[in-house]
Amino acid sequence: MSLTWRPLTLDDTPRLAETFAAAERAEPIEEHYSAEDLAEEISSPNIDLPTATTSAWDGEKLVAYGLLRRRDAANPAHMVRVETLVHPDYRDDAIAAHLTAWFEKTGKEIHAKTFPDAPLELHAAANTRQRWLSEVLVDAGYEHARWFVDMRADLASIPPVKPLPEEFPLVAYEDEYEELTLRCRNETFADHWGSTEQSPEAWRHLVVGGKDFQRELSFLLLSPERDRVVAMVLCAHFASDEAATGVKELYVSHVGTDASLRGRGIAGALLGHTLVKAKAAGFRRASLNVDQDNTHRALGVYERVGFGEHQRWAGYVKAVSA
């Protein structure tokens, strides 16, 4: 098979959406993307389209893509994100070999321009239903390092909500809290596996400035002096998923509590408050993703407020000599 390889452009996103739809039909993982969704994803400040993306074309048909997402910090390693998808009709050894070789070669080039003095790791993920991708990664030397769990909560049957601590003012997210919220994110996620500090530009693009961000259903607890965010629950709503499934679902993207306040049930109380507000706003379900071995025992926190396991993702890592 003769394929043409070239970097992605924003004009390619309608064709990329078609490839995602074909993959979803073959291996349903309940993720649906419009061209607009994908344009926002690949225009991230952490992705350089001309040098950090590739795509395979069979005539006018986009049949595979790969991209590398650099990180904003390397502590201690530069954990470059690998993202890829191949149309089900084009999955063979040749396309797998091309992509995995490209990830390693391009990963080294990106790393040399960003954090050349740090170790380099390539990080990828595959849903348990994505068997071909998992096999490709393992065959290319990636090692299974972690399990991540997608969880769901039916908002019609959430447990009673615990009261929030009165000493911390509760507010819905506003732009005036952007810097404080990012600081809270970077501090509370500092000891999470695979996490690094996030830049203001990436934070704005990927989270609080994204088109799917739900500021009216994202809540913060402030310090009594109102100069710090001590707990947060940030949420999004993906219209493409609702259009495909008919279910209005709130995605909980971030849950964090200041280290000095952990163990008091604050995260669960704030998340419970969010679910009640989401139900009142017409949402039928909530979802989130969590590291099974999260150091803060977050999985148990989420189970206590009504979440249960839905599906799993395997996290893979390959250490690369730069």
Side-chain angles (χ1 to χ4, degrees), residues 9-234:
T9 72
L10 290 177
D11 291 339
D12 297 330
T13 54
R15 295 290 177 264
L16 187 57
E18 292 171 1
T19 303
F20 269 89
E24 176 65 21
R25 289 190 294 270
E27 296 171 334
I29 59 174
E30 300 181 51
E31 291 193 349
H32 309 89
Y33 293 92
S34 68
E36 185 182 10
D37 296 331
L38 293 168
E40 184 173 70
E41 282 287 321
I42 68 173
S43 61
S44 164
N46 297 76
I47 301 169
D48 181 63
L49 287 176
T51 62
T53 70
T54 189
S55 59
W57 295 79
D58 183 2
E60 296 298 315
K61 185 176 184 179
L62 192 161
V63 301
Y65 93 101
L67 68 79
L68 294 176
R69 190 186 297 266
R70 65 170 178 82
R71 308 301 289 276
D72 292 317
N75 51 337
H78 186 200
M79 297 175 283
V80 175
R81 300 282 192 192
V82 172
E83 299 175 24
T84 188
L85 189 72
V86 178
H87 190 288
D89 296 339
Y90 291 79
R91 294 174 181 174
D92 61 21
D93 291 345
I95 205 166
H98 184 103
L99 283 166
T100 53
W102 182 88
F103 295 146
E104 193 159 333
K105 173 180 178 292
T106 307
K108 291 180 180 180
E109 294 169 352
I110 293 170
H111 182 68
K113 297 176 182 177
T114 50
F115 304 105
D117 297 327
L120 170 62
E121 295 177 350
L122 300 180
H123 284 234
N127 189 285
T128 54
R129 296 187 180 100
Q130 295 176 309
R131 295 185 180 89
W132 183 81
L133 175 57
S134 294
E135 291 173 0
V136 167
L137 292 170
V138 171
D139 288 346
Y142 290 73
E143 296 183 358
H144 177 248
R146 216 73 171 183
W147 282 112
F148 296 91
V149 182
D150 280 346
M151 306 184 78
R152 282 180 171 175
D154 180 354
L155 298 187
S157 56
I158 53 177
V161 177
K162 293 184 178 180
L164 291 164
E166 295 182 358
E167 65 265 38
F168 303 116
L170 170 70
V171 297
Y173 180 87
E174 295 289 348
D175 288 340
E176 64 182 289
Y177 304 118
E178 181 176 331
E179 182 179 350
L180 296 180
T181 307
L182 175 57
R183 186 186 308 167
C184 177
R185 182 266 173 211
N186 283 338
E187 290 174 354
T188 60
F189 282 62
D191 58 353
H192 285 209
W193 183 88
S195 178
T196 62
E197 186 171 302
Q198 201 160 36
S199 70
E201 294 77 18
W203 178 248
R204 191 172 304 115
H205 181 91
L206 295 169
V207 186
V208 298
K211 65 182 180 58
D212 301 309
F213 182 57
Q214 298 289 293
R215 62 181 57 225
E216 69 279 5
L217 290 172
S218 295
F219 296 99
L220 312 173
L221 291 181
L222 305 179
S223 64
E225 300 78 19
R226 304 178 76 92
D227 60 351
R228 288 189 304 124
V229 170
V230 299
M232 65 177 180
V233 173
L234 306 181

